[in-house]
Amino acid sequence: MKLVVIGTGYVGLVSGACFADMGHNVVCVDKVASKIKTLEDGGIPIYEPGLDEVVLRNRKAGRLLFTTSLKDALKDAQAVLLAVGTPTDELSGRADLKYVFAATKEVAENIEKPVVVITKSTVPVGTGAKVLEILHKTRPELLCEVASNPEFLREGSAVQDFMKPDRVIIGAQSEHTKNIMQMLYSKMIGEGTPVLFTNIATAELIKYASNAFLAMKIAYANEVADICEGVGADVDLVIKGMGMDGRIGNKYMQPGPGYGGSCFPKDTMALTHIATDAGHPTKIIEAVINANDLRKENMAKKVISACGGSVKGKEIAVLGLTFKANTDDMRYSPSLVIIPELIKAGAKIRAFDPVGMEEAKKELCNSERDDNLQFCSSTNEALKNSDAAVILTEWQEFKELDLMAAKKLLRELVLVDLRNLLDGNKAVSLGYKYVSIGR
Ligand code: UGA
């Protein structure tokens, strides 16, 4: 099949490269010329483990091309995948669809034959119908069709998630569109991947309902962790014990400093609007959003309390800045709340992240706090002469932290582990004051 992918962010680039790997001819289009240049020069504009190999392999095989010209890309295309951004509109808190609609219009203006336009971007329920309306209005003679094919990729393991998904959801309006989608996924279908065909609105809602459910599980685990601290229970074992019940499971039940990233915060918020617009305002999801916001603030309080009730004048090593490990993404990262709160309370921060330093600098640098925020080049540099170390992200490097060696670097042996990464007993036996979550 010839497929055009619009947008070369996480979703677009991973989908484009992986569809090429399944044997399709894919052209990825982006308006940002510098991104296309990087890709054409063999670079990858995002950090995503394993993606470079897939891109390289398929470029060499001639199945994956990059261009800024949508018009050229669309020649002979059978399907167009929309993977443009849907940021939250600051004022309304709703998903901003201007890029989706602009891309649709441009597709309609530049095609010579009918195509199936597939929305892969996470879009509110009803967007597929609007995309169809734009296509029909712009080119009524062509009878284009639409499909909704939500993605369930996690940053950091997006290639694996794409190639071996738990399920593929396809919202389609006709047999023709179903056939095109079946062709697109024929390799996976042949390998036994479960596929669920639905109407378009259903597919759109499956995406939001799934992300909000996962966010709810995490918020619940965080709440259980707090209760554990209050009653002297161990959250690791409570979650383990709960997870042994197949109805509950133990995935997305790891307590931490609050969920972040570009998806859960945005999609939970968007779902509250979808629900309100539908006349059924959500109570649960709003509680999840509020609990998660509060969680991040409470984590700053937890660090302050571990430091004896005040961090005024203290140097604190912050290990990990990205919203989770194996990504350089800083969006809605707990560090963006916790670090400013600690600085406000008088701390000086020595921050380090194995991959996210550049992104972190963009997000965290601010003239009002720069004097109190130092970006370090290694874990050891961050630890040196610090009065406490705080683990915010679960990078492997921090899991393997040499507690013995760290003793020689730290001024005070205070260790706040907000990801429950380390062996607390070992830390205590080495003389650390060790504070973790729900234990
Ligand atoms: C999430 C979903 O997991 C994907 O299925 C979905 O496709 C994606 O959003 C999206 O909508 O595009 P992602 O945001 O990349 O993926 O990250 P996750 O690995 O799901 O983690 C999200 C946040 O939850 C992170 O801050 C992570 O640290 C936190 N988390 C996750 C926990 O605190 N505990 C857990 O047990 C799991």
Side-chain angles (χ1 to χ4, degrees):
M1 261 182 81
K2 174 157 179 203
L3 173 73
V4 171
V5 176
I6 307 182
T8 57
Y10 281 100
V11 175
L13 193 53
V14 172
S15 306
C18 291
F19 277 128
D21 218 40
M22 292 185 218
H24 300 298
N25 290 313
V26 178
V27 186
C28 290
V29 186
D30 205 297
K31 278 200 173 348
V32 183
S34 59
K35 271 195 188 177
I36 295 298
K37 169 132 192 13
T38 304
L39 287 160
E40 283 199 310
D41 291 347
I44 304 283
I46 53 171
Y47 177 83
E48 187 58 45
L51 182 58
D52 48 354
E53 280 166 44
V54 187
V55 169
L56 186 71
R57 183 163 62 237
N58 288 285
R59 284 192 72 210
K60 268 195 184 155
R63 287 190 298 260
L64 182 62
L65 303 175
F66 299 104
T67 178
T68 51
S69 167
L70 181 59
K71 190 177 170 53
D72 293 347
L74 285 169
K75 209 168 174 325
D76 298 326
Q78 289 153 287
V80 178
L81 195 113
L82 296 181
V84 295
T86 55
T88 304
D89 180 75
E90 296 274 331
L91 284 178
S92 66
R94 288 162 195 265
D96 184 348
L97 297 173
K98 63 173 180 268
Y99 302 118
V100 172
F101 296 148
T104 305
K105 186 141 197 297
E106 215 181 320
V107 168
E109 284 164 353
N110 286 291
I111 41 177
E112 285 159 13
K113 285 185 274 183
V115 290
V116 172
V117 174
I118 307 160
T119 48
K120 195 93 178 143
S121 305
T122 303
V123 289
V125 181
T127 304
K130 287 187 190 148
V131 166
L132 188 63
E133 202 183 303
I134 295 173
L135 291 168
H136 285 182
K137 230 184 191 166
T138 318
R139 296 298 294 276
E141 78 285 10
L142 286 184
L143 296 181
C144 291
E145 295 191 359
V146 298
S148 165
N149 176 216
E151 53 84 18
F152 301 100
L153 313 175
R154 285 163 303 171
E155 285 179 23
S157 53
V159 173
Q160 168 75 13
D161 287 350
F162 194 99
M163 294 300 204
K164 299 255 171 271
D166 288 340
R167 81 301 206 186
V168 171
I169 303 291
I170 296 173
Q173 54 167 166
S174 72
E175 281 309 309
H176 169 69
T177 306
K178 263 193 194 172
N179 289 340
I180 291 273
M181 296 305 290
Q182 252 159 349
M183 228 149 73
L184 197 56
Y185 280 101
S186 58
K187 187 160 179 283
M188 271 185 204
I189 294 172
E191 288 164 356
T193 302
V195 180
L196 181 66
F197 285 100
T198 68
N199 68 22
I200 291 170
T202 303
E204 288 169 341
L205 188 57
I206 287 172
K207 167 70 191 198
Y208 282 102
S210 301
N211 268 4
F213 188 80
L214 294 172
M216 179 180 74
K217 278 188 99 174
I218 298 166
Y220 184 70
N222 286 337
E223 210 155 80
V224 169
D226 283 347
I227 300 171
C228 286
E229 287 178 24
V231 301
D234 180 333
V235 74
D236 295 341
L237 294 175
V238 171
I239 299 292
K240 191 172 177 187
M242 288 169 66
M244 287 162 94
D245 183 331
R247 293 171 302 175
I248 299 174
N250 56 11
K251 290 186 180 155
Y252 280 73
M253 293 282 274
Q254 174 65 44
Y259 62 76
S262 64
C263 307
F264 289 171
K266 173 168 76 74
D267 293 350
T268 44
M269 185 62 84
L271 184 55
T272 64
H273 290 296
I274 293 169
T276 305
D277 291 350
H280 298 282
T282 92
K283 285 144 207 85
I284 295 175
I285 304 307
E286 285 200 4
V288 167
I289 294 169
N290 293 336
N292 194 59
D293 288 346
L294 194 62
R295 177 89 189 153
K296 295 176 185 174
E297 287 167 27
N298 283 344
M299 290 302 104
K301 290 190 183 132
K302 194 176 176 85
V303 174
I304 295 170
S305 147
C307 291
S310 169
V311 288
K312 213 168 170 57
K314 291 192 176 165
E315 304 223 3
I316 297 185
V318 172
L319 305 180
L321 302 170
T322 52
F323 81 97
K324 64 173 186 176
N326 299 323
T327 174
D328 63 350
D329 201 331
M330 284 293 294
R331 284 175 286 181
Y332 292 94
S333 175
S335 67
L336 297 177
V337 174
I338 297 170
I339 289 179
E341 284 293 317
L342 292 176
I343 292 177
K344 229 192 311 171
K348 284 187 185 300
I349 302 295
R350 301 172 64 80
F352 173 68
D353 189 281
V355 171
M357 292 301 266
E358 286 315 308
E359 290 303 311
K361 282 178 191 165
K362 284 187 217 157
E363 296 283 339
L364 280 162
C365 285
N366 162 334
S367 55
E368 279 172 32
R369 66 170 92 99
D370 281 358
D371 287 349
N372 296 314
L373 177 56
Q374 186 185 337
F375 289 98
C376 299
S377 58
S378 66
T379 301
N380 282 356
E381 195 194 330
L383 293 175
K384 205 164 180 196
N385 292 330
S386 283
D387 298 294
V390 181
I391 296 177
L392 281 193
T393 314
E394 72 283 19
W395 287 100
Q396 187 64 26
E397 173 174 343
F398 305 142
K399 225 180 254 180
E400 291 163 2
L401 189 69
D402 183 342
L403 289 175
M404 198 62 174
K407 266 180 91 163
K408 298 197 184 99
L409 297 167
L410 284 163
R411 197 153 47 203
E412 297 280 340
L413 298 187
V414 177
L415 194 50
V416 186
D417 180 1
L418 298 182
R419 294 280 183 173
N420 286 3
L421 280 191
L422 302 177
D423 178 345
N425 290 334
K426 186 173 170 204
V428 172
S429 72
L430 286 171
Y432 283 90
K433 175 176 183 186
Y434 176 76
V435 177
S436 57
I437 301 245
R439 303 196 287 202

